[in-house]
Amino acid sequence: ELSEIFRAFNRMAEGLKLAHQQIDSNNARFRSLLESLSTVVFQTDTEGRCIFLNPAWREITGHPIESLFGESLLQFVCEKHRPSVSQLIAAIARKEQTLGILTILILTSTGAARWMELVVRPVASSNGEVFGLTGTLSDVDDSVRALEMIQENERSLAIQHKLLTTVLNHLPVGLYCKDVRNELRYTLYNNQAERILGTRQLDVLGKNDLELLPREEALAERKSELELLSRHSSEESIERPVLRDARKSSFVRVLRI
């Protein structure tokens, strides 16, 4: 009986040894994965004080990791974004949110700031009490700055378009443009075109002749314009009379551009 107890004990000890080896192996793989990630992975207490940071933090920001344990990560958040991050941390700690996502500026060791996407979740005990936060910081600096550049270009183009429209509306000749890539719809129709052709800009822009003219007249006009488009020279044009009233008429010159 005693020998059987010893054998059972040995089997239990061997099982525990294998279990510990498996845990150690899993932990090693987990650490290796965290160290290889290009995304910052962190864990803090409910006040935002650092408990864990993977090496990506140092690679992206240049700040050392070891000296940050117990320190608040908020000190590295750009001042204008600190209130929103503080509010998010507090809301998660109070269990008002289970997920938070913000795009914020993080200060690097050089004094420059990089745009990063912050994703935060609560760490809770088995009874649901939140005792910490875990999350990621992804470097989105290139994409955010590219988007800012696009938006700035769009604003610049809008200003230029407004200026050009003002100039065109004050020309002494009527001028309109049609988009050949969009069913010959009107994209420009200046004030003189309104006066000469007797149709308001608001009624014309975005529409084509099939929506504005009697069908036979619209088809004839489209046919002549398509013939002009089929020619290779951009200097060729067509002219056609436009009846303004019973006594007066004007000529419209249509050019391919």
Side-chain angles (χ1 to χ4, degrees):
E1 291 182 3
L2 188 59
S3 61
E4 185 63 31
I5 291 173
F6 280 130
R7 281 195 294 271
F9 179 80
N10 286 336
R11 286 195 298 270
M12 185 184 301
E14 186 64 26
L16 287 172
K17 180 181 178 181
L18 290 174
H20 281 300
Q21 288 175 344
Q22 185 64 44
I23 291 171
D24 289 341
S25 175
N26 289 341
N27 285 339
R29 284 198 294 269
F30 183 62
R31 284 195 300 271
S32 176
L33 174 62
L34 287 176
E35 290 174 359
S36 66
L37 288 175
S38 59
T39 298
V40 176
V41 179
F42 66 87
Q43 186 173 350
T44 72
D45 61 17
T46 53
E47 301 297 322
R49 290 185 289 264
C50 181
I51 297 171
F52 171 81
L53 272 173
N54 71 333
W57 170 261
R58 181 177 55 248
E59 293 169 11
I60 294 174
T61 69
H63 295 298
I65 295 174
E66 295 77 12
S67 61
L68 295 182
F69 294 121
E71 298 291 326
S72 174
L73 291 180
L74 275 174
Q75 63 185 299
F76 301 106
V77 177
C78 183
E79 189 172 353
K80 68 178 181 180
H81 292 148
R82 286 177 194 169
S84 56
V85 175
S86 295
Q87 290 167 12
L88 176 61
I89 290 174
I92 291 177
R94 293 193 300 265
K95 297 191 285 188
E96 295 172 359
Q97 286 184 233
T98 57
L99 174 66
I101 301 175
L102 292 172
T103 301
I104 59 176
L105 281 167
I106 294 290
L107 303 175
T108 68
S109 60
T110 65
R114 293 190 69 82
W115 285 103
M116 303 190 77
E117 183 181 70
L118 169 68
V119 179
V120 189
R121 293 180 175 86
V123 179
S125 62
S126 57
N127 62 7
E129 185 175 349
V130 175
F131 62 86
L133 306 171
T134 186
T136 58
L137 281 164
S138 303
D139 190 347
V140 294
D141 193 73
D142 290 343
S143 57
V144 171
R145 295 193 189 280
L147 179 59
E148 287 178 339
M149 187 177 296
I150 290 171
Q151 291 172 338
E152 180 59 34
N153 288 339
E154 288 177 345
R155 285 191 291 268
S156 178
L157 287 172
I159 292 171
Q160 293 176 32
H161 180 267
K162 185 176 181 179
L163 177 62
L164 179 60
T165 301
T166 301
V167 172
L168 293 177
N169 276 331
H170 286 82
L171 288 176
V173 295
L175 181 68
Y176 64 78
C177 290
K178 296 179 181 180
D179 188 351
V180 298
R181 297 164 301 181
N182 188 21
E183 300 178 340
L184 291 173
R185 295 184 182 277
Y186 288 89
T187 58
L188 173 68
Y189 200 85
N190 75 348
N191 291 344
Q192 280 293 88
E194 272 192 349
R195 186 184 66 81
I196 294 170
L197 300 176
T199 312
R200 297 188 312 159
Q201 287 180 355
L202 292 176
D203 296 332
V204 171
L205 293 176
K207 298 180 181 178
N208 59 32
D209 290 325
L210 290 171
E211 299 169 287
L212 297 168
L213 301 174
R215 183 171 178 79
E216 288 187 8
E217 185 179 342
L219 290 174
E221 185 159 332
R222 173 164 290 198
K223 180 181 177 181
S224 66
E225 290 173 345
L226 292 176
E227 288 175 355
L228 176 62
L229 288 170
S230 68
R231 300 170 190 169
H232 296 293
S233 174
S234 61
E235 297 180 357
E236 293 188 56
S237 63
I238 55 176
E239 290 188 356
R240 57 172 177 266
V242 176
L243 186 65
R244 291 175 56 192
D245 54 40
R247 303 178 306 281
K248 299 178 182 178
S249 64
S250 300
F251 280 86
V252 173
R253 186 181 184 195
V254 182
L255 296 94
R256 175 179 178 269
I257 58 173

